[in-house]
């Protein structure tokens, strides 16, 4: 009997492990097309729905371009459905592109140096990199968390300051809000690394003595881990949804501000932009919102940037409305335009600027609108980093460092010119 119980227990354990660790999704043979939508978006939306396809930049909109992922089994049907529409191929074989990108770099603990930006890395290495960076500057930095994820992973960041000590108005950056946007975490880490390793530079010393910096490279740790173990193109968190087999909430459509408006997020639990059943019902959103409010109350919140990819945009509030105008809108637009000029001066990379809704699409329950109107940040922006569509979410590792360099130029402009 004892042996039978042990065998049964072992089988249950194996079954449980198999249930937790599903097979990694293969994108072998998948293609990604950019299609000119034209004035009739209904046709392309019908094709997406009919064939069950996924899109990379939201649903097709009139007079825009739609980036559509097509599995091998649907290629012939897709070609027939979009006959006559102009299109280009972004990825001839998405599986091969992902394979090239996910050749992870090897990170040796204790070596927080610039080689970190030569490759992408597993999640555990991101945490170790932050710890090693902090250990290199123990008197002017600390590892912090802003709460925990749905699966209990701490939302880990680094807080650093200058010779004048802590408690000054805060600069807060979020990366990897959407799990598949790997470049964003690397860019936030680049900015932290650049500021700390150049902390004796006169200009940077001035920034560090004027502001406290709080950088969170991966605010969606569960989703990010899932992109590395199961599905490279996963976007949401990993929260279960009652009554649905679909998993996850879009934590940038779940913030408790202008959440209930229609047209800026999905009510379908299977959609990539699912808003949740109630505002702030994602643990990550609740934790991050609380951190912003507490920081504002304790020391002031000077600048908040939510880093995303892709499309090369430097945007301002609002996302929830294309007609509402943010306070200080003229100043925000001027700063965004200046940041875009500074970015372009580094590697020639062009970023468009403007309010979220009119520049990319309507987005309700987003972090920038919340930071601006509820948390009370003095300046709020969101970016869409490289590129404009050649690689999309699967950005080669050789673009990490230049992305960081140009992002620093944009941030530097803001730090120089905010009032």
């Amino acid at each position: 009997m004892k042996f039978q119980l042990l065998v049964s227990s072992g089988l249950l354990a194996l079954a449980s492990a198999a249930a937790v660790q599903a097979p990694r999704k293969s994108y072998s043979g998948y293609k990604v097309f950019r299609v000119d939508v034209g004035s009739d978006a209904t046709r392309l939306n019908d094709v997406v729905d009919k064939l069950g396809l996924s899109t990379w930049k939201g649903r097709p909109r009139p007079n825009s371009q739609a980036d559509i992922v097509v599995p091998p089994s649907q290629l012939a049907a897709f070609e027939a459905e979009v006959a006559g529409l102009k299109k280009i191929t972004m990825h001839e074989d998405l599986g091969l592109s992902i394979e090239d990108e996910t050749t992870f770099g090897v990170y040796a603990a204790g070596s927080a140096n610039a080689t970190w930006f030569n490759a992408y890395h597993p999640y555990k290495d991101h945490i170790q990199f932050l710890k090693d960076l902090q250990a290199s500057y123990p008197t002017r930095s600390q590892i912090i968390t802003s709460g925990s994820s749905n699966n209990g992973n701490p939302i880990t960041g680094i807080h650093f300051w200058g010779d004048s000590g802590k408690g000054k108005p805060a600069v807060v950056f979020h990366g990897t809000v959407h799990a598949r946007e790997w470049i964003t975490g690397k860019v936030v880490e680049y900015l932290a690394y650049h500021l700390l390793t150049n902390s004796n530079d006169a200009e940077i010393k001035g920034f560090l003595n004027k502001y406290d910096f709080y950088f969170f490279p991966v605010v969606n740790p569960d989703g990010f881990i899932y992109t590395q173990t199961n599905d490279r193109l996963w976007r949401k968190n990993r929260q279960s949804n009652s009554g649905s087999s679909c998993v996850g909430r879009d934590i940038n459509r779940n913030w408790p501000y202008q959440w209930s408006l229609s047209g800026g997020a999905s009510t379908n639990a299977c959609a990539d932009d699912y808003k949740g059943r109630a505002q702030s019902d994602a643990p990550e959103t609740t934790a991050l919102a609380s951190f912003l409010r507490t920081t504002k109350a304790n020391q002031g919140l000077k600048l908040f940037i939510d880093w995303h990819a892709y499309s090369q945009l430097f945007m301002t509030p609002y996302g929830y409305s294309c007609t509402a105008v943010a306070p200080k809108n003229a100043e925000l637009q001027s700063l965004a335009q200046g940041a875009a000029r500074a970015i372009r001066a580094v590697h020639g990379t062009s970023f468009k600027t403007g309010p979220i809704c009119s520049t990319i699409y309507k987005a309700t329950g987003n972090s920038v609108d919340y930071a601006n109107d509820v948390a009370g940040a003095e300046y709020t922006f969101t970016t869409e980093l490289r590129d404009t569509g050649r690689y999309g979410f699967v950005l080669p590792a050789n673009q990490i460092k230049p992305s960081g360099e140009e992002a620093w130029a944009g941030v530097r402009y803001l730090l120089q010119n905010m009032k």
Side-chain angles (χ1 to χ4, degrees), residues 242-273:
S242 177
S244 174
S245 61
C246 295
V247 174
R249 285 156 169 74
D250 182 344
I251 63 172
N252 200 39
R253 300 294 185 275
N254 189 247
W255 287 69
Y257 181 64
Q258 304 294 358
W259 175 86
S260 61
L261 297 181
S262 63
S266 179
T267 58
N268 179 357
C270 299
D272 275 343
D273 61 344

Side-chain angles (χ1 to χ4, degrees), residues 343-365:
I343 288 169
R344 187 168 60 251
V346 180
H347 295 295
T349 311
S350 295
F351 276 59
K352 295 180 181 179
T353 65
I356 297 166
C357 185
S358 57
T359 304
I360 186 167
Y361 43 59
K362 186 176 183 179
T364 51

Side-chain angles (χ1 to χ4, degrees), residues 29-33 89-97 390:
Y30 280 60
K31 295 182 185 293
V32 184
F33 297 100
T89 303
M90 294 165 58
H91 290 276
E92 187 66 37
D93 187 325
L94 182 57
L96 290 178
S97 298
R390 169 61 183 88

Side-chain angles (χ1 to χ4, degrees), residues 32-363:
V32 184
F33 297 100
R34 169 161 287 181
V35 184
D36 285 349
V37 179
S39 59
D40 183 12
T42 301
R43 174 187 174 186
L44 204 51
N45 275 297
D46 287 346
V47 172
V48 168
D49 293 338
K50 177 181 177 181
L51 301 182
L53 306 178
S54 61
T55 61
W56 275 5
K57 296 199 300 179
R59 291 184 65 80
R61 302 177 304 280
N63 302 312
S64 68
Q65 294 174 318
D67 297 347
I68 303 174
V69 182
V70 184
S73 61
Q74 298 284 23
L75 282 171
F78 178 78
E79 293 282 4
E81 293 282 357
V82 301
L85 294 178
K86 182 180 178 182
K87 69 179 188 304
I88 61 171
T89 303
M90 294 165 58
H91 290 276
E92 187 66 37
D93 187 325
L94 182 57
L96 290 178
S97 298
I98 290 173
E99 184 179 332
D100 290 341
E101 179 212 34
T102 54
T103 302
F104 289 142
V106 176
Y107 180 70
S111 59
N113 58 57
T115 61
W116 173 255
F117 304 103
N118 293 339
Y120 294 105
H121 293 79
Y123 174 68
K124 64 180 180 61
D125 288 354
H126 284 265
I127 302 302
Q128 189 61 51
F129 175 81
L130 289 182
K131 291 178 178 178
D132 291 342
L133 185 59
Q134 188 280 325
S136 299
Y137 301 90
T139 63
R140 59 178 60 188
S141 66
Q142 62 187 140
I143 296 297
I144 57 171
T145 66
S146 61
S148 297
S149 70
N150 182 72
N151 291 349
N153 289 300
I155 301 173
T156 305
I158 187 168
H159 169 205
F160 50 96
W161 55 88
D163 297 333
S164 59
K166 306 177 191 178
K168 304 175 299 298
V171 173
V172 180
F173 291 170
H174 288 175
T176 325
V177 176
H178 293 140
R180 61 194 177 188
E181 297 168 10
W182 286 9
I183 186 61
T184 64
K186 283 288 188 175
V187 163
V188 172
E189 289 162 348
Y190 182 92
L191 297 171
Y193 177 84
H194 184 81
L195 281 161
L196 278 171
T197 57
N198 291 282
S199 55
N200 289 324
D201 172 85
E203 180 181 63
I204 290 179
K205 183 179 290 188
F207 296 150
L208 294 171
N209 285 333
K210 191 173 183 180
Y211 304 115
D212 279 25
F213 292 84
Y214 297 87
F215 289 180
F216 296 92
V218 182
V219 300
N220 181 7
D222 301 351
F224 183 56
I225 291 168
Y226 194 76
T227 65
Q228 299 191 330
T229 59
N230 292 73
D231 184 351
R232 173 62 186 88
L233 296 178
W234 186 259
R235 170 181 164 107
K236 300 181 284 184
N237 74 356
R238 292 296 300 165
Q239 190 171 353
S240 62
N241 293 303
S242 177
S244 174
S245 61
C246 295
V247 174
R249 285 156 169 74
D250 182 344
I251 63 172
N252 200 39
R253 300 294 185 275
N254 189 247
W255 287 69
Y257 181 64
Q258 304 294 358
W259 175 86
S260 61
L261 297 181
S262 63
S266 179
T267 58
N268 179 357
C270 299
D272 275 343
D273 61 344
Y274 176 51
K275 65 196 293 185
R277 298 187 68 179
Q279 64 181 20
S280 204
D281 66 351
E284 297 86 353
T285 309
T286 299
L288 295 168
S290 176
F291 181 87
L292 291 184
R293 292 195 309 271
T294 301
T295 301
K296 170 67 175 181
N298 290 343
Q299 63 193 94
L301 182 54
K302 188 70 176 183
L303 171 65
F304 172 75
I305 301 182
D306 205 9
W307 298 86
H308 290 267
Y310 60 99
S311 284
Q312 293 175 199
L313 308 171
F314 208 101
M315 298 180 289
T316 63
Y318 290 114
Y320 76 86
S321 170
C322 290
T323 56
V325 178
K328 302 200 303 187
N329 179 63
E331 185 182 3
L332 289 172
Q333 300 311 320
S334 177
L335 286 169
Q337 291 160 12
R341 288 193 299 271
I343 288 169
R344 187 168 60 251
V346 180
H347 295 295
T349 311
S350 295
F351 276 59
K352 295 180 181 179
T353 65
I356 297 166
C357 185
S358 57
T359 304
I360 186 167
Y361 43 59
K362 186 176 183 179

